[in-house]
Amino acid sequence: MALSQYPQKNSDRTVGKQYQALISMLAITLVLLGGVGARLFYLQLVQGQYNRQLADSNRIRLMPKQPERGRIIDRNGKTLAGSRLSYSVFLWPIANREQEWEPIIERLSNILKIPPQNIRSLLRQAGYNSPSLLRIARGISPEQITKLAEYNLELKGVQVEGEAVRYYPNGDLGAHVLGYTGELTDEELAEREADGYRLGDLIGQMGVEAAFESQLRGEWGGQQVEVDGAGRVLRVLGEKPAQAGNTVQLTLDLNLQRAAETALGDRKGAVVALDPRNGAVLAMASRPAFDPNIFSSRITDDQWTQLQSRSYPFLNRSLQSFPPASTFKVVTAAAGIESGRYSPSTVLRSSAYLLVGGIQFWDWNRAGFGSIGFERAMAMSSNTFFGQVGMGIGEETLIEWARRFGFGRKTGIELAREESSGLVPDEAWKREVFEEGWYAGDTINMSIGQGAVQATPLQVAVMFAVPANGGDLVTPHLLKDREEARTWRRSLNLKPETIRSLQRGLRQVVTSGTGGALRGGNIPPLAGKSGTAEDPPRDTHAWFGAYGPADNPEIVVVAFVENSGGGGGKVAGPIVRQVMETHFNNKQPTQAAGTASVVSD
């Protein structure tokens, strides 16, 4: 019999199956709702503070405002360094995930001509979750601004902002003394982070910019703003104005600085002018030079290569040491008279050469000048006269007075980081360096500024200030502050007769000796000394230092020309004269100083 023929009975199990699916669905729903609720509980209560911060960081942007760097002005208020408006490119790291930055980085690299790895490195340093703007380029061109605008929709998290950048209105004029600014290196950032410096900050890298960084820097400000999804500012939540840096006024005279650099021309060398009454530096020139404005934007490889091909253009030769040559005879004369072994009226017989230890030490004219005293020997720059004085007083006395005049140590100028101490050699130094003792020939060489003795043009200027101001050693300085004469002067306790002998001898250099280039014309009477330093196998260096007016000095000028091949009176003398003409007559030179036909040393 077929099963269908029997009557069917209702089953409780069959009825339960009708609700089984519904019950299962309800159970699953309750589980899901429970999970979501637990997750919501976790997100809102357990991680609520964290997620609120995350949401805020995605809509709140920190926009730091760089302070305008303080101005640098000369003694008359003329601007030496200021600011101008420029445009920079910033990234907002948190705007994109790391992988989302990659196409943006490639586009920026192409527009800004920056290697993509440099941009990646900056983002990694700042952190991809940083809500603060990160500068990646400064001083961009109008063409680059236009390109960035064209690709704006593809450059999420990128913005162009105007900001003040360093500007030197006189180009390379005074570049070595002013210095330049540049972005912090990783090492500098590590050292200065505790002082409030941050990635991308600018800092003085040399010269006055570095020496007075704390005064010039200013204080950062900024805005906390709310932005929409496209990065547009909706409202300002808070603001702290940036504080500009302080103005720093220098002792430099812009007109005199221009005269010094014009007179030096394209020759390697330096010119220093200072006030012998208080040590105020009026001019400090060095050649070759560089234009510090190039560092106000990203320097190109071509610019850097061109700079490096110009015989160390960043070297401030005013603060580098060289053999001082016959300018050092000022020290030898003072040491000789102060020792008591010689009087101002002492007469010695000069000759073609001094024979010591089988070695001939020649006078520069290869003949000598006969029997002469201190003043005539200074005028004619007799090597054999001052060699005898040096041997007579001995190396210890000569070395002592060299150090009293400030040689062998830094002068105290604010640019100590770039200043050489020079060298006053002694027996201990010679044994350490050459493993041999001190000989009489070493004393002769030192007495005429040759051999191992080294001095900077600034040190030589400080030396000339001693006879100019009546016997005081001055501390050269650049900050025009507290310029009372006694603040910067220290007496060397020279005898009056020593000072008078030095002054008369230096005056004779100009009236009848090797300083004929400074004689007569439209300047007051001057006093000074020439020098020609040996530098084998290269050409000789040329020196000249002078002060004026001779009877009431108000300025010292020292000129140094590296490896000029000519005598100090002929090569460096005309440079000093041109600077003196500007000082006394407010004359504006238009070309480099030439050479003079004078008795040379």
Side-chain angles (χ1 to χ4, degrees):
M1 180 182 294
L3 289 176
S4 59
Q5 293 177 339
Y6 292 90
Q8 299 294 318
K9 294 182 180 180
N10 291 333
S11 170
D12 291 339
R13 183 172 179 81
T14 301
V15 172
K17 286 181 178 179
Q18 296 174 352
Y19 298 99
Q20 187 173 351
L22 179 61
I23 292 169
S24 297
M25 290 179 62
L26 286 172
I28 292 170
T29 300
L30 287 173
V31 171
L32 289 174
L33 287 173
V36 171
R39 181 61 179 166
L40 287 173
F41 173 83
Y42 175 75
L43 291 173
Q44 291 179 7
L45 298 181
V46 178
Q47 281 199 315
Q49 181 64 27
Y50 167 78
N51 286 296
R52 278 192 294 273
Q53 290 176 348
L54 186 62
D56 283 344
S57 66
N58 278 283
R59 65 184 179 84
I60 295 173
R61 181 178 298 182
L62 302 176
M63 300 181 66
K65 295 294 181 183
Q66 185 181 20
E68 184 175 352
R69 197 167 175 85
R71 288 195 309 146
I72 302 174
I73 60 176
D74 85 336
R75 64 188 305 109
N76 300 309
K78 297 177 181 176
T79 299
L80 301 173
S83 300
R84 63 175 175 81
L85 181 64
S86 180
Y87 290 92
S88 298
V89 178
F90 293 85
L91 304 185
W92 191 30
I94 202 171
N96 301 292
R97 289 189 292 271
E98 182 173 352
Q99 61 269 27
E100 292 174 338
W101 274 111
E102 282 307 307
I104 298 173
I105 289 172
E106 293 299 328
R107 178 70 70 187
L108 290 173
S109 174
N110 182 261
I111 295 173
L112 301 175
K113 308 304 180 189
I114 300 174
Q117 62 268 24
N118 290 10
I119 303 175
R120 291 190 196 99
S121 176
L122 289 171
L123 277 168
R124 289 193 198 100
Q125 281 183 275
Y128 284 96
N129 290 324
S130 172
S132 298
L133 291 179
L134 171 69
R135 185 200 299 110
I136 64 165
R138 292 182 289 124
I140 63 173
S141 68
E143 292 78 14
Q144 290 171 321
I145 294 173
T146 302
K147 276 284 186 186
L148 290 169
E150 288 176 5
Y151 291 99
N152 180 52
L153 295 178
E154 300 176 23
L155 300 175
K156 182 185 175 186
V158 179
Q159 66 186 68
V160 176
E161 292 283 338
E163 61 178 355
V165 298
R166 210 54 168 158
Y167 176 58
Y168 302 88
N170 303 295
D172 65 359
L173 192 67
H176 295 89
V177 65
L178 295 176
Y180 64 94
T181 61
E183 286 192 14
L184 284 164
T185 63
D186 293 343
E187 293 77 14
E188 289 170 332
L189 179 61
E191 292 173 2
R192 293 177 176 264
E193 203 162 7
D195 297 326
Y197 286 85
R198 64 192 77 186
L199 185 66
D201 269 8
L202 300 177
I203 189 172
Q205 295 290 351
M206 68 176 282
V208 168
E209 293 280 21
F212 298 103
E213 168 67 19
S214 60
Q215 294 96 314
L216 293 165
R217 180 190 176 202
E219 186 177 335
W220 277 80
Q223 289 181 327
Q224 188 180 49
V225 298
E226 183 179 0
V227 299
D228 61 16
R232 292 184 292 264
V233 175
L234 299 176
R235 61 187 175 121
V236 176
L237 303 176
E239 183 172 10
K240 178 188 176 184
Q243 290 186 344
N246 297 322
T247 296
V248 171
Q249 185 169 25
L250 303 182
T251 57
L252 292 180
D253 183 317
L254 180 58
N255 289 339
L256 204 65
Q257 181 74 26
R258 182 175 288 109
E261 300 202 15
T262 302
L264 193 54
D266 293 330
R267 293 169 286 198
K268 285 193 298 183
V271 177
V272 174
L274 58 79
D275 187 333
R277 299 166 295 188
N278 58 21
V281 177
L282 305 176
M284 181 179 282
S286 179
R287 282 287 187 266
F290 63 96
D291 185 349
N293 286 303
I294 64 174
F295 295 100
S296 294
S297 59
R298 189 174 63 89
I299 187 169
T300 66
D301 292 339
D302 288 344
Q303 286 175 314
W304 185 250
T305 301
Q306 185 178 3
L307 278 171
Q308 294 302 99
S309 66
R310 297 178 59 193
S311 300
Y312 306 105
F314 297 103
L315 194 67
N316 186 348
R317 285 171 166 80
S318 298
L319 303 177
Q320 301 306 305
S321 55
F322 307 89
S326 292
T327 63
F328 191 83
K329 290 169 182 173
V330 171
V331 174
T332 306
I337 298 172
E338 287 293 311
S339 71
R341 182 177 178 87
Y342 302 99
S343 73
S345 58
T346 294
V347 173
L348 299 175
R349 180 169 181 79
S350 66
S351 55
Y353 59 85
L354 298 175
L355 183 62
V356 177
I359 301 174
Q360 296 174 331
F361 293 86
W362 289 86
D363 219 317
W364 66 268
N365 70 345
R366 314 291 285 187
F369 301 92
S371 296
I372 51 176
F374 274 98
E375 293 167 22
R376 188 61 184 162
M378 187 72 76
M380 302 313 297
S381 197
S382 172
N383 290 339
T384 55
F385 179 93
F386 286 102
Q388 291 177 75
V389 172
M391 286 195 298
I393 61 176
E395 75 274 11
E396 290 185 4
T397 300
L398 187 60
I399 289 168
E400 175 193 350
W401 277 97
R403 291 172 177 161
R404 284 197 193 186
F405 270 82
F407 294 106
R409 66 174 184 270
K410 296 187 177 186
T411 63
I413 196 168
E414 297 92 335
L415 308 183
R417 192 170 74 172
E418 297 145 44
E419 183 182 18
S420 167
S421 298
L423 176 65
V424 177
D426 55 19
E427 184 168 9
W429 172 86
K430 196 176 179 201
R431 287 193 181 280
E432 180 181 349
V433 175
F434 295 105
E435 298 182 348
E436 62 181 27
W438 188 273
Y439 302 125
D442 297 319
T443 304
I444 293 175
N445 276 330
M446 180 181 284
S447 68
I448 60 174
Q450 304 282 3
V453 64
Q454 299 270 310
T456 71
L458 182 61
Q459 288 174 329
V460 173
V462 169
M463 179 198 72
F464 276 107
V466 174
N469 65 31
D472 289 349
L473 191 71
V474 297
T475 300
H477 58 279
L478 286 162
L479 187 64
K480 193 177 184 299
D481 184 27
R482 299 180 292 110
E483 285 201 278
E484 300 84 2
R486 286 291 158 190
T487 303
W488 305 101
R489 292 171 63 162
R490 176 173 59 84
S491 176
L492 292 184
N493 297 314
L494 293 170
K495 301 171 187 175
E497 56 266 33
T498 302
I499 297 170
R500 285 194 295 269
S501 178
L502 290 175
Q503 291 172 339
R504 287 195 292 260
L506 294 171
R507 177 67 184 133
Q508 279 193 36
V509 170
V510 176
T511 59
S512 59
T514 60
L518 280 75
R519 197 178 304 148
N522 58 345
I523 52 177
L526 304 176
K529 183 72 189 77
S530 61
T532 306
E534 301 293 331
D535 186 29
R538 294 170 289 273
D539 289 336
T540 55
H541 304 310
W543 289 90
F544 205 100
Y547 60 80
D551 58 350
N552 188 25
E554 61 188 52
I555 186 172
V556 168
V557 180
V558 169
F560 167 78
V561 184
E562 185 177 339
N563 299 127
S564 69
K570 182 179 181 181
V571 175
I575 296 174
V576 172
R577 182 187 180 96
Q578 192 160 311
V579 177
M580 290 289 193
E581 287 176 344
T582 297
H583 176 76
F584 289 112
N585 305 313
N586 198 27
K587 177 183 176 183
Q588 295 295 326
T590 57
Q591 60 183 12
T595 58
S597 298
V598 294
V599 176
S600 188
D601 162 44

